[in-house]
Amino acid sequence: MKTLINDSIGDLEAALKNNSDLQEKFRTNPIEAIKNVEIKNPKETDYWIYRIIVIMLGLAVITIIAGLILIAYWNDGESKNNQLVTIFATISSGAIGALAGLLSPTPRK
């Protein structure tokens, strides 16, 4: 049975203090015992990380598109506004690419 710990030495120490079976394994064969310790990855257990990132990137894209529409509506042909349109379009295309990367399924081996 694998022992799950977070990504720190303090969590390994707490697991050793609380688990007498793990203590005994470390006394007899520490290398084999450390192979049975599994580190929990917060990205695999906390799905709110992805939800927050997707929501923020989506809001950024929507805000930038609204800004581009407003700039196009009020544009007097000034070169400063044309540079803003280029900058906003670049940022929004990067955010759309990030959203696509997050929402696309990972390939299975």
Side-chain angles (χ1 to χ4, degrees), residues 41-55 102:
N41 189 352
K43 291 189 297 187
E44 294 172 357
T45 58
D46 187 12
Y47 294 105
W48 278 103
I49 293 172
Y50 287 111
R51 291 177 186 166
I52 290 171
I53 292 172
V54 168
I55 289 169
L102 281 173

Side-chain angles (χ1 to χ4, degrees), residues 14-84:
L16 278 171
K17 285 181 182 177
N18 297 330
N19 191 341
S20 60
D21 184 41
L22 187 60
Q23 288 174 3
E24 185 61 36
K25 287 179 183 177
F26 262 89
R27 283 189 195 107
T28 57
N29 190 353
I31 294 174
E32 192 63 36
I34 201 72
K35 288 180 182 177
N36 288 327
V37 173
E38 185 175 326
I39 298 173
K40 288 190 284 187
N41 189 352
K43 291 189 297 187
E44 294 172 357
T45 58
D46 187 12
Y47 294 105
W48 278 103
I49 293 172
Y50 287 111
R51 291 177 186 166
I52 290 171
I53 292 172
V54 168
I55 289 169
M56 290 299 144
L57 285 172
L59 287 175
V61 169
I62 291 170
T63 305
I64 289 171
I65 290 173
L68 287 173
I69 291 171
L70 289 175
I71 288 174
Y73 179 72
W74 288 322
N75 192 5
D76 296 344
E78 296 176 19
S79 64
K80 184 185 255 184
N81 285 342
N82 289 336
Q83 290 175 352
L84 280 176

